[in-house]
Amino acid sequence: MTVLLRQLQAIADELLGRGLPAPADALRRARFRPDPPWTWCERCGVTMQARACRCRTRRAGDAAPEWIVRLGAHAGPLRSWVVDVKHAGWESMAETLGAALGQQLLDCGLISRGDRDVVIVPVPSPWLRTHARGIDHAGAIAAAVARTCDARCCIALRQRLGATQVDAAARAGRMARAQRFSARRCARRIAGRHAVLVDDVRTTGSTLAEAAAVLRGAGAVRVSAAVVSVKD
């Protein structure tokens, strides 16, 4: 019912001239193109020209995903689209960005189309937050990634409700008190496989690191990440 109401609202908004544009039109007007493969740090996703990056060598005990793929920096039109996907329920844009992100994964050579050892895993929001927003934004992006790559998608994680944070020190303290993510029963499907975490934006990297640690604990032999945008 929620999806139907959203579709009807989108039609009404478009007829009245107050709705979000068709994703293809928005991308064309912005002349948006994904960043060329590996013009960012493969460990943290930061634009290589933005600052000197020391993430290329993996350190012992580092929980972060081994590789990260992105569409672009978290700025300009891409930032606006990410915000509208999450807070305006722009599901069609989530699917469009997810398809582009899936193609970016293929173009970067991180996975191959139809690889049965690859499992796409969305980074979940707490259930109450998802219900309040009316959209599972990471889930919608991940589903489009999986379709583009002909890979399986598994909702392997759940997240407990907590305040949204981008401050690294505050998040580290919260990690010490309680684990944000836990594995669902279906997480057994990723054992022995390459798990690709999918999210809308990487800020400090703490969310991806926490989620990756749980997936490794569930048996993933390799954890990578694919995000729409990265905050430089």
Side-chain angles (χ1 to χ4, degrees), residues 166-210:
V166 295
D167 179 72
R171 179 159 288 176
R174 195 167 67 254
M175 285 177 64
R177 293 191 297 273
Q179 183 170 289
R180 289 173 64 204
F181 295 100
S182 60
R184 299 168 63 96
R185 183 174 299 179
C186 64
R188 62 181 181 273
R189 300 174 189 170
I190 68 171
R193 293 183 167 85
H194 177 189
V196 179
L197 280 166
V198 172
D199 206 358
D200 58 343
V201 59
R202 179 198 184 274
T203 50
T204 67
S206 297
T207 294
L208 292 176
E210 293 173 58

Side-chain angles (χ1 to χ4, degrees), residues 58-213:
R58 184 175 175 82
R59 295 182 292 274
D62 187 354
E66 299 164 34
W67 300 84
I68 186 166
V69 166
R70 75 179 206 180
L71 290 183
H74 192 58
L78 190 57
R79 181 183 184 279
S80 298
W81 298 336
V82 166
V83 170
D84 284 338
V85 164
K86 185 183 296 184
H87 296 290
W90 199 2
E91 192 163 2
S92 59
M93 179 57 88
E95 293 168 354
T96 297
L97 294 174
L101 188 57
Q103 188 59 52
Q104 188 80 305
L105 275 167
L106 298 172
D107 292 345
C108 288
L110 197 60
I111 66 174
S112 56
R113 184 175 278 108
D115 189 342
R116 295 296 92 186
D117 286 330
V118 171
V119 181
I120 307 299
V121 181
V123 175
S125 295
W127 180 83
L128 285 175
R129 194 170 296 146
T130 299
H131 180 73
R133 290 172 175 166
I135 184 173
D136 176 6
H137 60 282
I141 295 168
V145 168
R147 286 193 296 271
T148 299
C149 299
D150 189 21
R152 286 178 289 181
C153 187
C154 178
I155 305 174
L157 300 172
R158 63 170 61 89
Q159 181 181 172
R160 64 192 307 165
L161 184 64
T164 56
Q165 300 272 350
V166 295
D167 179 72
R171 179 159 288 176
R174 195 167 67 254
M175 285 177 64
R177 293 191 297 273
Q179 183 170 289
R180 289 173 64 204
F181 295 100
S182 60
R184 299 168 63 96
R185 183 174 299 179
C186 64
R188 62 181 181 273
R189 300 174 189 170
I190 68 171
R193 293 183 167 85
H194 177 189
V196 179
L197 280 166
V198 172
D199 206 358
D200 58 343
V201 59
R202 179 198 184 274
T203 50
T204 67
S206 297
T207 294
L208 292 176
E210 293 173 58

Side-chain angles (χ1 to χ4, degrees), residues 21-77:
D25 292 340
L27 268 65
R28 183 174 59 254
R29 284 199 288 267
R31 298 182 179 179
F32 174 76
R33 293 290 184 276
D35 290 342
W38 305 124
T39 54
W40 58 87
C41 171
E42 66 269 23
R43 289 285 290 114
C44 70
V46 169
T47 304
M48 292 302 292
Q49 292 81 8
R51 60 177 172 82
C53 183
R54 301 177 181 177
C55 298
R56 300 176 78 93
T57 302
R58 184 175 175 82
R59 295 182 292 274
D62 187 354
E66 299 164 34
W67 300 84
I68 186 166
V69 166
R70 75 179 206 180
L71 290 183
H74 192 58

